[in-house]
Each structure stands twice: as structure tokens, then as C-alpha cells.
Amino acid sequence: MDDRAVKQTRCFGPEIWAAAIAMAAAMYAAFVYAPYVEDPPGQRIFYFHVSSAWVSFLAFFVTFLAGVMVLLKRSLWWDSVAVASAEIGTLFCTIALISGSIWAKAAWSVWWVWDPRLTTAFILWLIYAAYIVLRMSTPSRERAARFGAVYAVIGFVTVPLVFMSIRIWRTQHPAPMYLEPEMLAALLFCVAAFTLLYFAFLRSRFRIEQARRASPWST
Amino acid sequence: MRWLKAAWCLAAKDVRNELRRREALASMFVFALLVIVLFHFAFADLGREAVVFAPGALWVTFAFSSMIGLSRSFAVEELQGCLRGLLLCPHGRSVIFAGKMLASTACISAVNTVTLLLFVIFFNLPALAELWRLWLVMVLGVAGIAAAGTVFSAMTLGTRLRQSLLPVLVLPIILPLVLFAMHVTSKIIGNTPGTAGEIARGVVGMLLFDVILTTMGLLTFEHVVVE
């Protein structure tokens, strides 16, 4: 049983291949298909930036739902979903923050502005970084599942308050950009491709977690 | 009703315990003093006006010094198996949360009251007439910090890093509360006095946070205590 679980984590499932093809097409959509925009410069990073931000929110939402299920059903299956999704969400949140920072440097000639959306994303990143540290520091797996679930649920319900509390300080918003139809199409395609990539990653990471649990050396 | 009485009993026990030992109160107080000195050299000595930085500095002091109190909240129960005794309490685990949260709010507020007065004195804040309003805002903020802190303080007992993990867990969660509190405080004593509406918006935010965190604490507490 253990061997099979370990073997499963090694092979690329069909979802990985599908995601790889979709990502290649997303590159085409962002760099070739989407029309060139002079201002702001470096605008093409926008397609991957928005998609990464979307995936990170989706991932944190999945972690929240899985956390609720862990608390209700006390199931470790859902905990594997939660931990997988939280790690992927943190990764994509990092990508969104870094790509946003690069774009901000090109567009506004500063690396960072403390605007509500950026700051909320950053605080979200901090919450999930704390989530990962908490799990790393919790010895028993069953306990890590419970603690992680409580932290993920509390962290997620405070996110609207985070946004509100920053808006009370800074009221300026970056104006939503007007999107031409081709740009919108490219964006939607990239978001779809990233979502597929998320589910592919989720499945792989979930299997690794399950295999780790099944392994006789696990603590 | 009996649930409330049990929570009150627990809180009274904790406050009495703290009044006898006074270790957490003393260390929180000394810590707050040290932070005041640091803030003086960080800002006031460079010619910044106290009314500009005091609201922020005040809440940074409150947030950090309350970590000391919160980290003691459950650690004291570990001695001689007190925690097991608490868990045997017949009213469910949420009672422990309510009692601990009340006691933490009381102890931290007591220290912060003195800190608040010292802030006014050391930084020459023109805030004597506003003290009671500042005090209410402080208690409202401390209640939220205590709600989040009680859940995570119980959690840290079951981790390898123990209490040193507490600030990492609590600070990201209480960030919105602290931002609201800083906003309200700066509107009360800052150099740009705010309208009643602006203050009310911040206070509503703080109340929302307190209610949400207390509810979450009552609901999830049974999952975080380690037997």
C-alpha cells in the first residue's frame, strides 16, 4: 500500500500535462495574443499577476473550507487538502506580491505602495506564513490538523476586517483599468489556466501528504 | 446563567492568582516603560511632534506588552496539572475560554491604564480631558487582543516553539484591530482631530473584531486545548 502511494506521487498525472499545455497557451495569450499597451509599461505582467492573486485567494478559501470540515468531521483527509492548498496559496501569493512589485516599479516608479489591496495581500501572506510555521512546530499530526484548521478559519474570517481597517487609513484606490476585449479574453484565459494549474498542484501535493501519512517513518 | 457564573469564577481565580504572584503584571509594566524610552529616542528626540507618533506608539506598546501577559495565561496552568483540573470543569470548554479571556482583559487593561497615563506624562500629550475616551478605546482593543490571544495561547502549549510562537500567531490576526485602534486614537488626540463620524467608524470596526473573535474563540476553543 505504501509503495503504491509513494509511486503515485512520482508519476505525473494527466492533470499535470493538461496544466502544462494550458500554461504554454497562457504564455501565448499574454505575450502574443494580447494587444500591446504603451502605458503603463510592462503591462503584460498583469495577466500573470492577476491570475496568481486569484489563485492565492481561491487557495486560501479552499483551506478555510477544508479547515471547517476538519473541525466538523475530524477528518485527516480534509487536513491533507488544507495543508496542500495553504502551501500553494502562499506560493502564489508570493508570486502575486513580487510581480505586483515589479509592475509598480515600472508603472509608478516605486517598489511598493501601501494601498488597501496590496497591504491586504501582504497581511494574508503573513497569516498563512504563520499557519505554516504553526504546523511545522506542532509535533503530532492529529494536533497539527486541529490547530491548523482553527488558525485557518480564524485567519480567513478576519480578512474582510483587514481590508476595512486599511481603507480607513488610505482612501486612494488604483483606478480599475479599462480592458479591451482581446485583453479581457487573454486575462480570462490566463486565470482559467492558473486555476487548472492550482488544481494540478493541489492533487500532487495532496497525494504527497497522503503518502507521507501512510509511510511507516512518519511521526 | 451557571455557565456565566463558572466563567466569572475562573476569571476571578486567575486575577487573584496574578495579584498574588504579580510576575506577569510586573514584567508587562517594565516592558512598557522600556518601549516608552525607545520610542522617545526613535521619534521625539528627532524632533517629531508627540501628537503625530503617540497614537501609533501607544498601540504598538499595548500590542507587544500584552503578548507577555497572554503567554503566561495558560503556561501557569501547566504546573502541577492544573490544566487537567480545568478541563474537568462540567460546563464545557468554552467556559475556560470565557474565563481566561476575561482575566486577561482585566490584567492587561490594568497595566495599560498606567501605561496610558505615563504616555501622557512622558510625551506631554494634551490629552487629559480625553483620558476617559482613550481608556474606553484601550479596553475595547485589549478585549479583542485577549480573545485572539487566549485561543492561540492555549494552542502554543501544544507546539515545540511553545510561547515564543505566540506573537507570530497573534499579531497578524489582531492587525486590523490595532489599525482601527490607532486610527481612533489619532482622531481623538492627534494633530488632526476627527469628526464624531470618523471616530464612530473606527469604533464600529473594533467592536466587529471583538464580536467576531470572541465568537470564534467560544466555538473553536475545544479544538485547541491539549490534554
Side-chain angles (χ1 to χ4, degrees), chain A residues 70-72 74 123 126-127 129-131 133-140 143 146-148 150-151 153-155 157-158 161-162 164-169 171, chain B residues 151-152 154-156 158-162 165 168-170 172-173 175-176 179-180 182-183 186 198 201-202 205 208-209 212-213 216 220 222-226:
Chain A
V70 169
L71 294 182
L72 289 180
R74 306 218 161 218
I123 294 172
L126 287 172
I127 291 177
Y131 172 91
V133 173
L134 171 67
R135 295 200 65 118
M136 277 162 48
S137 162
T138 310
S140 116
R143 193 186 288 169
R146 273 188 292 136
F147 287 7
V150 169
Y151 199 76
V153 170
I154 293 183
V157 295
T158 55
L161 283 172
V162 173
M164 270 171 62
S165 68
I166 301 160
R167 258 229 324 234
I168 213 171
W169 283 94
T171 38
Chain B
V151 177
F152 300 138
M155 224 184 236
T156 53
T159 64
R160 270 189 290 261
L161 289 174
R162 315 281 295 169
L165 190 61
V168 180
L169 296 182
V170 178
I173 302 287
L175 225 118
L179 291 186
F180 280 130
M182 281 177 180
H183 179 81
S186 72
E198 276 179 313
R201 255 181 46 202
L208 257 177
F209 185 94
I212 292 177
L213 258 289
M216 294 308 294
T220 59
E222 58 173 306
H223 300 287
V224 300
V225 271
V226 183

Side-chain angles (χ1 to χ4, degrees), chain B residues 79-101:
Chain B
L79 301 167
Q80 303 174 344
C82 289
L83 194 60
R84 188 163 298 161
L86 275 185
L87 292 176
L88 288 174
C89 159
H91 293 281
R93 309 254 154 104
S94 54
V95 150
I96 306 176
F97 170 80
K100 285 285 178 189
M101 184 194 153

Side-chain angles (χ1 to χ4, degrees), chain A residues 60-198:
Chain A
F60 293 148
F61 182 62
V62 170
T63 307
F64 163 73
L65 286 183
V68 172
M69 294 308 285
V70 169
L71 294 182
L72 289 180
K73 307 230 153 159
R74 306 218 161 218
S75 100
L76 286 180
W77 190 91
W78 279 107
D79 184 57
S80 294
V81 177
V83 72
S85 193
E87 283 180 11
I88 300 166
T90 313
L91 172 69
F92 277 95
C93 197
T94 314
I95 295 173
L97 285 171
I98 293 176
S99 60
S101 181
I102 295 171
W103 191 21
K105 182 70 181 164
W108 308 320
S109 69
V110 281
W111 290 111
W112 184 262
V113 281
W114 291 95
D115 119 283
R117 261 179 258 177
L118 270 93
T119 315
T120 306
F122 185 39
I123 294 172
L124 211 60
W125 189 92
L126 287 172
I127 291 177
Y128 285 90
Y131 172 91
I132 292 172
V133 173
L134 171 67
R135 295 200 65 118
M136 277 162 48
S137 162
T138 310
S140 116
R141 186 147 286 162
E142 185 269 341
R143 193 186 288 169
R146 273 188 292 136
F147 287 7
V150 169
Y151 199 76
V153 170
I154 293 183
F156 193 81
V157 295
T158 55
V159 168
L161 283 172
V162 173
F163 191 74
M164 270 171 62
S165 68
I166 301 160
R167 258 229 324 234
I168 213 171
W169 283 94
R170 320 253 156 190
T171 38
Q172 103 266 11
H173 290 266
M177 209 166 45
Y178 167 73
L179 291 182
E180 287 170 39
E182 288 94 358
M183 293 169 75
L184 187 65
L187 175 64
L188 289 178
F189 187 81
C190 284
V191 167
F194 269 70
T195 310
L196 189 61
L197 183 66
Y198 163 70

